[in-house]
Amino acid sequence: IPSLPDGYILRSLEENDFNNNLIPVLKTLTTVGDVTKEEFANLYSEWIANSHVYNPLVITNREGKVVASGMLIVESKLIHKCGKVGHIEDIAVDLSEQGKKLGLILIKNLVELARLKNCYKVILDCDAKNTGFYEKCGFSQEGIEMGFRF
Amino acid sequence: IPSLPDGYILRSLEENDFNNNLIPVLKTLTTVGDVTKEEFANLYSEWIANSHVYNPLVITNREGKVVASGMLIVESKLIHKCGKVGHIEDIAVDLSEQGKKLGLILIKNLVELARLKNCYKVILDCDAKNTGFYEKCGFSQEGIEMGFRF
Ligand SMILES: CC(=O)N[C@@H]1[C@@H](O)[C@H](O)[C@@H](COP(=O)(O)O)O[C@@H]1O
Ligand SMILES: CC(=O)N[C@@H]1[C@@H](O)[C@H](O)[C@@H](COP(=O)(O)O)O[C@@H]1O
C-alpha cells in the first residue's frame, strides 16, 4: 500500500466528521441532498450498532479535514462455507486533492480490512469509465451490475 | 407479480430449512462446501439479530420442500438523504423446478420488499449471460461489477 502524504491520516469515520467536509466530499460522487445533523446522528448510531456490517473509513489532510471517504460492508453468507463478502461502497475523493493517490490508498486499505475480517472476496460496482482505476487497485471484472429504480 | 403454482408458498427462511433442501438449492448457484447444523444456526442467529439488514426468503413446493431461495440486504447510506439501497443476493432455483417462473416471482417479491423498506433502488450483480432474465424482472444495466479475490 503506497503511503499517505505527510500529515494525512486514515481512520474510522467519527460522528463530528459531519461538520468536517464529509458532505462536500460525498457530493463529488452523487446526490446527497439535505441531511440534518440529527439524521446523520441516527445513521451513525445505526452504523456503530452494526459495526460488524458497516466499516466507514475516511482520510483527513494536514488540517484534519475529511478529503476522502469510503465504506466496507461485510456480508455474512451461507455459500462458501458460511463465507463473508466485502462490498466497497461510496468512494469519494475531494476534487482539490486529486493526484495524491488517495483513492488508491483508501481502496487498498478497505481491501486489507476485508481480508482481516476473513472475506473470501471484495466486490464493488462502478461506471464502465472507472474500471481502469479499479484494475490499478488489483480488481478485475466479475460481472454486470443490474439495477431497479423506484 | 405472477402467482405461484398451487400449493407453493413464499415465506421467510426458517432455521429448520437447513435440513429441507436449502443447501442443494444453493449448490445450483455456486460452491457451498460443508456447513454443519451448528454453523448454520450461528449464521441464522446473526441474520435474525440484524433483521433490518438481512431478509432471506424461500419458496417451498407442495411437499413443503425449499425449491428457491434469495436474500435482500438493506444498506443504510448517507447519500440520497440517508437513503437505503437493496442488494439482491444468492438467487437459486432448484433445477427440477424450472419453467414455473419461480425465479421471476422471487425477484419481484424481493423488489417489493425493498420498496416497502423505502429503498430508493435495488441492485444485484450477475453473469453477462443472465442479464436477459433480470431485464424480464424489470432491471436494467447500471454498471460493472469489479472483484478482488483473496
Ligand atoms: C465503488 C463505488 O463507490 N461505487 C458507487 C456506489 O457505492 C454508490 O452507492 C453509487 C451511487 O450511485 P447512485 O447515486 O446512482 O445510486 O455509485 C457507485 O456505484
Ligand atoms: C443476483 C445473484 O444471485 N447474484 C449472485 C451473488 O449474490 C452471489 O453471491 C455470487 C456468488 O458467486 P461466487 O461464488 O463466485 O462468489 O453469484 C452471483 O453474482
Side-chain angles (χ1 to χ4, degrees):
Chain A
I1 305 184
S3 44
L4 284 167
D6 258 12
Y8 283 61
I9 291 170
L10 178 111
R11 60 161 170 81
S12 294
L13 179 74
E14 294 170 5
E15 189 167 349
N16 53 22
D17 287 327
F18 180 67
N19 288 317
N20 186 23
N21 206 42
L22 177 64
I23 304 292
V25 164
L26 271 176
K27 284 187 173 163
T28 66
L29 172 69
T30 189
T31 311
V32 181
D34 288 326
V35 174
T36 65
K37 206 179 157 70
E38 198 189 340
E39 285 165 336
F40 178 74
N42 288 336
L43 177 67
Y44 185 80
S45 304
E46 185 181 338
W47 287 352
I48 293 293
N50 296 281
S51 60
H52 47 302
V53 174
Y54 295 102
N55 303 269
L57 295 187
V58 296
I59 294 174
T60 56
N61 69 4
R62 278 180 207 88
E63 289 78 48
K65 200 174 79 164
V66 171
V67 291
S69 80
M71 174 69 89
L72 176 73
I73 304 269
V74 178
E75 177 200 1
S76 294
K77 285 184 179 286
L78 178 46
I79 61 173
H80 293 264
K81 296 186 183 231
C82 292
K84 291 178 198 293
V85 169
H87 297 255
I88 288 181
E89 296 283 344
D90 301 337
I91 296 302
V93 179
D94 204 307
L95 293 177
S96 66
E97 298 272 342
Q98 307 287 323
K100 294 174 184 158
K101 297 198 197 283
L102 301 185
L104 181 113
I105 294 169
L106 181 59
I107 296 295
K108 293 223 169 206
N109 277 280
L110 289 163
V111 169
E112 178 58 15
L113 186 57
R115 197 183 63 75
L116 293 172
K117 291 188 173 262
N118 295 314
C119 294
Y120 73 89
K121 70 175 180 184
V122 185
I123 57 176
L124 59 85
D125 294 317
C126 68
D127 260 24
K129 70 175 188 310
N130 293 329
T131 56
F133 165 70
Y134 289 109
E135 280 161 4
K136 280 186 213 146
C137 298
F139 284 71
S140 40
Q141 184 169 342
E142 287 253 337
I144 307 294
E145 178 198 10
M146 303 294 288
F148 185 109
R149 303 248 167 190
F150 294 108
Chain B
I1 305 185
S3 44
L4 284 168
D6 258 10
Y8 283 62
I9 291 170
L10 178 110
R11 60 161 170 79
S12 294
L13 179 74
E14 294 170 3
E15 188 166 350
N16 53 22
D17 287 327
F18 180 68
N19 288 316
N20 186 23
N21 206 40
L22 177 64
I23 304 292
V25 164
L26 271 177
K27 284 187 174 162
T28 66
L29 173 69
T30 188
T31 312
V32 180
D34 288 325
V35 174
T36 65
K37 206 179 158 66
E38 197 191 341
E39 285 165 338
F40 178 74
N42 287 336
L43 177 67
Y44 186 80
S45 305
E46 185 181 339
W47 287 351
I48 293 292
N50 296 282
S51 60
H52 47 301
V53 174
Y54 295 102
N55 302 269
L57 295 187
V58 296
I59 295 174
T60 56
N61 69 4
R62 278 179 208 89
E63 289 78 48
K65 200 173 80 166
V66 171
V67 291
S69 80
M71 174 70 88
L72 177 73
I73 304 269
V74 178
E75 177 200 1
S76 294
K77 285 183 178 287
L78 178 47
I79 61 173
H80 293 264
K81 295 186 184 232
C82 292
K84 290 178 199 293
V85 169
H87 298 256
I88 289 182
E89 297 283 343
D90 301 338
I91 297 302
V93 179
D94 203 308
L95 294 177
S96 66
E97 299 273 340
Q98 307 286 324
K100 294 173 184 158
K101 298 197 196 283
L102 301 185
L104 181 113
I105 294 168
L106 181 61
I107 296 294
K108 293 224 169 205
N109 276 280
L110 289 163
V111 168
E112 178 57 15
L113 186 57
R115 198 184 61 75
L116 294 172
K117 292 188 172 261
N118 295 315
C119 294
Y120 73 89
K121 69 174 181 184
V122 186
I123 56 174
L124 60 84
D125 295 316
C126 69
D127 260 25
K129 70 175 189 310
N130 293 329
T131 56
F133 165 69
Y134 289 109
E135 280 161 5
K136 279 185 212 145
C137 298
F139 284 71
S140 40
Q141 184 169 341
E142 287 253 337
I144 307 294
E145 177 198 12
M146 303 294 289
F148 185 109
R149 303 249 167 188
F150 295 108

